[in-house]
Structures are given as structure tokens and as C-alpha cells.
Amino acid sequence: MTTIDDLETTIIDLPLRRLQQFTAMGARHQSAVLVVLRTDDGLTGIGEAVTPCGPWWSGDSVESIAATIDTYLEPVVVGTRPADLQRTLLAMDRVVYNASFAKAAIEMALFDLLGKALGCGVSTLLGGAVRDRLPLNWPLATGDVGRDADEGAEMRTRGLASGFKVKMGALAPDADLARLEALAQRLNGAAPLRVDPNEAWSEVTAASAIPRLEAVGVDLIEQPVARWNVDAMARLTDRARVGVMADEGVRTPPDMMETAKRRAASVVSLKLMKSGGLLASQRIAAIAQAAGIPVYVGTFLETGVGTAATMHLAATLGELPYGGEPVGPLLMDGDVVHSPQTYAEGALWLPDGDGLGVSLDLDRVAHHRRDGRRRVYAAATWPGG
Ligand code: MN
């Protein structure tokens, strides 16, 4: 069997089609670290790490991810065999604590290599696909009610959305809820409506906001309070008549165990980067399933590489009552893979082909490759002030 003899990282900056407004900041670019593994017999595996438009989520940045990989993880990975994937993951854990984003990128590239070596898709390596598509929640995140409503209607018409997810938390709670209520009225029940305040609320704010959200038809409320406040999540989950989803609060299988024991969520979001990859995400999903808690397929706005990996994971998950949101390639102006993902009928579809089923477009990688220092993120400002 083949041996990995080269690992290369590349930071790329991709423009977004429109402002993506998070609680802490607005973004017009998405940056990613691409990982390319090569074997001595000519195979190539690709992986990717992204943060949600900057280091505000976990402290990881594309710059720190690339440095961790180049300095500490590359020496662990080079010289190993793709077939020893689990052994390589354990070896990385012995050398670098945490660093789930960097490890997820390498694991993704290892799975791509292994699939290519064995002639099967990554979802087959993960146990086999039980679904070929994932219903999509389109992120409404410009902060402007009129623009969000128009975009939502357009995405429904184009078959790119089965539901909507609205970012909240950048405004004061009353103004934010009034904005959401106006948006819900404009959308008029066209599709399920979900919200994500990204930890912005206190427990008291969340407790008064949730009934107002329920009243306008919101059926899923993501991480309303701080990630560490598991007790508040448990109380809110107990009182809510709709789903309360943990995102920031569940990164690892032990986090999931704690959340399950304390009933501190009624839904849990899976993301490759936050847990360290495909296998860790499957472990979280298994614990959630055993606790009767459904999972959701989240995103940090991956390119076509990470989106394909996310879809391979999603394909192995039986119950996904709220679908997911891997929409990165639709938000980016240009991608770095040859064949774009298939988005149709309100869903993302599982790619064909060996490994991840995507290949890098090296011209586009060269075009978007970062040269020198670059600042691409802006502090939170709503459009129009
Ligand atoms: Mn979230």
C-alpha cells in the first residue's frame, strides 16, 4: 500500500457574493486552508479547514491552522499510510492538543486518499449512504428585512432552500425580535424558519424571546446562550415547545455526553471542523441518537471541498428532521473545485466519484491564493449603518 510523502497547505481568500452578518462582525470574504496530501504512487488527497469568517468562534484562524499543520502535524502525517487513518489521528492527538480545525482538514484529505486508493466514495468508508440529499436551510444574514425576504423568496424559487435560518444577536434584543417578526411576516410561512443568535442572549433574554419566536412560527432556536451555560440550556430546552439546538456548546463527544445527560438541547448541530472531523462527528451523532436527540448538519461556510466532505457525513445519518445548511459554495463568488456541487429541489446532493468526489481547480486555487498579509474582516455594522 502507498505511503504519504508530501503535505502542502495553501491559504485562499474567496469573496462572498454578499455581506454575511454574524453577531460579532460582518464578512465579505471567506478564507480557507487547503491541505493536499500526495503519495509515493501518485495519488492526491484534498482537505480543507475553514473558520466561520474569522477566529471569533473558537480562536482558530486560517493563519494559526496553517501554522499548526505546517510545523507540528505535517511531520506526523508524512510517512504514514492512508490505510492507517485512525492510527494517524491518534498520533496527531499525542502531538497537538485540540486544534480540531487543523485535524479535520487532514482527516478529510486522508479519507479522500483512502477512497481514491480503494475506489469508493468517502460515505462508503463511513459505513455507507442512507440518503442521497440533504434538505437545506438558507441563511438569511444581511440584517436587512427587505433584502432578506427577497433573497428568501428567490432561493425558494431557485430550489436552493427548504427552510431558512436567520442570524440574530447583532442588534439589541427588542429591535432584533421586531426585525425577526417583520421578516417572518414577509416570508409568510413559505418554509420552516430557524434562528441562530450565536450565544448573544442572557438566559432571561432567551426565556422571554423564545415564546415570541414560537408565536411567529420559528421551530428551531440555535445556541441562544453562552456555550458554557449548560444549565441555562437545560432550563430553556425544558420550557420551549420548539427545538433548542446546541452548536457552540457541543464540540466533542464528551460535550455531547454531558448535553445528553443534562438534557441541555433537543437538537445538536454537527460540524466537521468543531469536532475534528468525520469520525468524531459520527461519534457525536451516535451519542445523540442513543439519547433520542436528533442532529443537524451545520457549516462554517466551507468551499466545495469541505462541503463535499460534509455531504458524505450527512449521507450516513439516518434521521435529519431539520436538514442542514452546507451552503458555502452558493455564497462564494467562485469556488476551487472543478465540478460544482449539485444543489436542487431545496437540497444538496451527494457527489459521485471516488474519495470526496471533487478535485481542485489549480488555476482557481492560484488565483485566490493569499500572497502576503491581508485583512478581510470588518467589525459588525449593519448595512446602511
Ligand atoms: Mn451556529
Side-chain angles (χ1 to χ4, degrees), residues 199-207 224-226 229 232 236:
E199 313 177 273
W201 293 340
S202 68
E203 182 177 1
V204 170
T205 299
V225 297
N229 203 342
L236 293 168

Side-chain angles (χ1 to χ4, degrees), residues 57 165 167 196 198 222-223 247-248 271 325:
W57 201 94
K165 195 171 109 173
K167 287 289 185 186
D196 184 6
N198 281 114
E222 180 170 340
Q223 199 70 48
D247 178 15
E248 285 89 335
K271 293 176 179 171
E325 57 182 35

Side-chain angles (χ1 to χ4, degrees), residues 108 134 272 278 297-298 302 305-315 326 348:
M108 198 183 296
L134 172 68
L272 300 184
L278 295 154
V297 181
E302 296 81 6
V305 178
T307 300
T310 299
M311 189 58 222
H312 281 282
L313 168 71
L348 169 64

